[in-house]
Amino acid sequence: TAKENWINDPNGLVKFRDKYHIFYQHHPHSLRWGEMNWGHVISDDLLTFSYLPHALTPGHSSDKDHCFSGSALVHNDRLYLFYTGLILAEKREDERQQQCLAVSDDGIHFEKLGLIIGEDKLPKDFAPNDFRDPAIYEEDGTFYLLIAAKRVDGRGNILKYKSTNLLDWEFVTDILPSDSKGAMVECPDYVKDL
């Protein structure tokens, strides 16, 4: 739990330099849902935690109003945070959810690299105001992002993107054979058979 106020969606459980890092959506100013930041705790044993400053706070051009859920990856001794930046609008259909990236060399201070997947890389039949929660994984030297999305006038699905450098992404396919029965799918993840 956070020290105070709203918390939801744990993000990016990862081990980086002998510490476990857990991130989570946090509204630091209210007990109710609102301006989402990424809270951040670390642990040596997953039993005792130390609170750190927020890893992500809204305000960049790509995440002006919220830093929504995502995931984390350790690669080449750097910590990468993939998350959804939200830009609000008067009408819900004019809002934009887009995928963003931040990096850290020490696991505490994060530099926002900004937008990596925007609506220009979204298939035309999917809505740019319901496009969120990137889940990162690597397989055979290629990186993949699974991203929750909603078809225009339809239901939720999961879109798959690929990259070789974590910055340039290409759409691959939608994962589900048919849209979900729910209005939206959220927080997808991938676990390889062990």
Side-chain angles (χ1 to χ4, degrees):
T1 185
K3 287 183 179 179
E4 59 185 0
N5 295 326
W6 179 274
I7 179 175
N8 69 290
D9 288 5
N11 299 299
L13 173 62
V14 68
K15 190 172 186 181
F16 178 65
R17 297 192 183 159
D18 297 322
K19 299 274 186 198
Y20 294 100
H21 292 251
I22 299 176
F23 304 93
Y24 52 91
Q25 282 195 169
H26 183 230
H27 183 197
H29 311 297
S30 174
L31 291 171
R32 299 187 185 277
W33 190 93
E35 177 189 289
M36 285 300 121
N37 295 251
W38 270 37
H40 186 190
V41 295
I42 57 171
S43 175
D44 293 320
D45 57 10
L46 292 176
L47 297 172
T48 306
F49 297 91
S50 299
Y51 290 89
L52 294 175
H54 284 122
L56 300 172
T57 58
H60 187 273
S61 61
S62 58
D63 63 24
K64 186 170 77 65
D65 298 301
H66 293 273
C67 295
F68 275 3
S69 296
S71 55
L73 173 78
V74 175
H75 178 66
N76 291 338
D77 201 36
R78 295 186 95 191
L79 181 53
Y80 291 78
L81 301 183
F82 297 85
Y83 68 101
T84 299
L86 173 64
I87 298 174
L88 295 172
E90 278 190 39
K91 296 180 181 176
R92 172 83 169 83
E93 61 268 18
D94 293 332
E95 293 178 1
R96 290 299 176 261
Q97 295 180 7
Q98 47 201 10
Q99 311 322 305
C100 303
L101 176 61
V103 297
S104 176
D105 291 316
D106 63 6
I108 299 171
H109 305 93
F110 291 87
E111 175 190 1
K112 290 182 182 179
L113 300 184
L115 180 67
I116 56 170
I117 303 175
E119 67 181 292
D120 61 322
K121 294 183 182 173
L122 186 64
K124 293 197 183 317
D125 55 338
F126 283 88
N129 62 336
D130 276 312
F131 179 48
R132 57 184 173 269
D133 307 339
I136 184 78
Y137 70 96
E138 182 269 334
E139 201 165 66
D140 299 325
T142 300
F143 300 98
Y144 296 94
L145 278 175
L146 301 178
I147 305 171
K150 183 178 178 183
R151 201 173 301 273
V152 174
D153 300 323
R155 300 282 183 182
N157 207 310
I158 300 170
L159 304 181
K160 183 177 183 178
Y161 290 80
K162 70 177 181 177
S163 174
T164 56
N165 64 9
L166 299 172
L167 297 172
D168 302 303
W169 293 88
E170 174 186 336
F171 174 70
V172 177
T173 189
D174 46 336
I175 295 292
L176 302 178
S178 61
D179 290 348
S180 71
K181 294 184 189 225
M184 186 63 184
V185 176
E186 293 194 329
C187 299
D189 208 350
Y190 172 77
V191 178
K192 191 172 181 176
D193 291 337
L194 299 176

